[in-house]
Amino acid sequence: NAGVMQNPRHLVRRRGQEARLRCSPMKGHSHVYWYRQLPEEGLKFMVYLQKENIIDESGMPKERFSAEFPKEGPSILRIQQVVRGDSAAYFCASSPPWQGWLYGYTFGSGTRLTVV
Amino acid sequence: QKEVEQDPGPLSVPEGAIVSLNCTYSNSAFQYFMWYRQYSRKGPELLMYTYSSGNKEDGRFTAQVDKSSKYISLFIRDSQPSDSATYLCAIESGSRLTFGEGTQLTVNP
């Protein structure tokens, strides 16, 4: 049973380009969470999604960031017009519906975004 | 005031030492507490979770929660070089986890 799969592992973008980060949850998991880890900082919540629904996006920056979790396919975190401050590790986590966040959830290995 | 505060370390100990990692939190409504371990360039992995005040033990790891003082701790007995990692406390707040900044631990052989 594969864990949470994130790709790409490393992503380099020039300022102004778009970054698309993908996350495939564990089999049987229907809840996806995105977190960001800036250098020398802890993990910060960004967004919580279920299939075709955004449940909580209170941690998402108001502009340039969007997330989706379609009925088919991976969850996508999209960052438009990237800036140097977006350079960070972005982690996705998933959980089954009957546990939710209660027992913690399974994280992927992250996508490390570097904006040059 | 941050919701969760964690001693950032870094912490360096000899193999076999007892390690104590600590966090404080501000909101008394928090009920679920977790510890994650994160190796370099990897995602966090859940070590332990607790609900009530008191101790919970799993092998060499003991998680302790004191809700009256809003203090949570993780103790590692007989620490090993393989325990070298960043340890993150996390607290449930609705559908999300709020993490401490992490304590970097190095166990020297």
Side-chain angles (χ1 to χ4, degrees):
Chain A
N1 184 18
V4 176
M5 303 301 292
Q6 289 190 249
N7 64 82
R9 291 294 305 273
H10 301 276
L11 182 62
V12 179
R13 284 288 177 265
R14 296 187 183 278
R15 281 179 292 170
Q17 290 184 319
E18 178 180 288
R20 291 170 72 88
L21 287 61
R22 288 178 290 278
C23 169
S24 296
M26 285 183 68
K27 187 176 181 180
H29 286 193
S30 57
H31 295 199
V32 165
Y33 313 78
W34 285 93
Y35 283 76
R36 177 166 64 173
Q37 190 170 38
L38 292 164
E40 309 303 326
E41 292 189 22
L43 284 157
K44 305 291 185 190
F45 170 81
M46 298 182 76
V47 63
Y48 163 37
L49 309 106
Q50 296 176 16
K51 288 278 187 182
E52 299 183 285
N53 277 306
I54 297 175
I55 307 302
D56 181 358
E57 57 180 346
S58 57
M60 288 276 272
K62 293 288 185 266
E63 298 177 349
R64 303 187 296 108
F65 285 73
S66 62
E68 63 175 4
F69 189 16
K71 187 177 180 180
E72 301 291 338
S75 175
I76 305 287
L77 179 68
R78 183 182 177 206
I79 311 172
Q80 295 178 290
Q81 299 175 331
V82 296
V83 301
R84 288 224 169 104
D86 297 332
S87 295
Y90 291 82
F91 290 95
C92 169
S94 72
S95 70
W98 60 87
Q99 287 185 340
W101 44 262
L102 180 59
Y103 300 113
Y105 27 75
T106 305
F107 281 87
S109 292
T111 293
R112 277 152 187 85
L113 172 66
T114 302
V115 179
V116 297
Chain B
Q1 183 184 8
K2 289 183 181 179
E3 287 188 298
V4 180
E5 303 223 33
Q6 182 173 2
D7 296 337
L11 195 57
S12 182
V13 300
E15 185 175 353
I18 297 174
V19 176
S20 172
L21 303 165
N22 308 292
C23 288
T24 58
Y25 62 95
S26 58
N27 189 340
S28 57
F30 292 146
Q31 297 188 67
Y32 299 96
F33 309 91
M34 299 161 198
W35 284 95
Y36 282 81
R37 177 174 61 195
Q38 185 176 22
Y39 291 112
S40 181
R41 300 301 211 184
K42 298 290 186 183
E45 56 175 325
L46 180 66
L47 271 180
M48 299 186 72
Y49 73 91
T50 54
Y51 168 65
S52 58
S53 284
N55 294 350
K56 181 176 181 179
E57 191 172 316
D58 183 1
R60 296 184 295 109
F61 298 88
T62 299
Q64 188 174 82
V65 177
D66 182 347
K67 287 188 176 181
S68 62
S69 57
K70 296 183 219 165
Y71 198 82
I72 61 174
S73 301
L74 179 71
F75 298 97
I76 308 173
R77 290 185 301 280
D78 187 25
S79 55
Q80 303 294 309
S82 59
D83 295 329
S84 298
T86 297
Y87 290 80
L88 300 148
C89 61
I91 293 172
E92 160 272 334
S93 50
S95 58
R96 69 173 72 179
L97 296 180
T98 299
F99 286 87
E101 291 185 8
T103 300
Q104 186 177 344
L105 171 68
T106 301
V107 181
N108 301 299

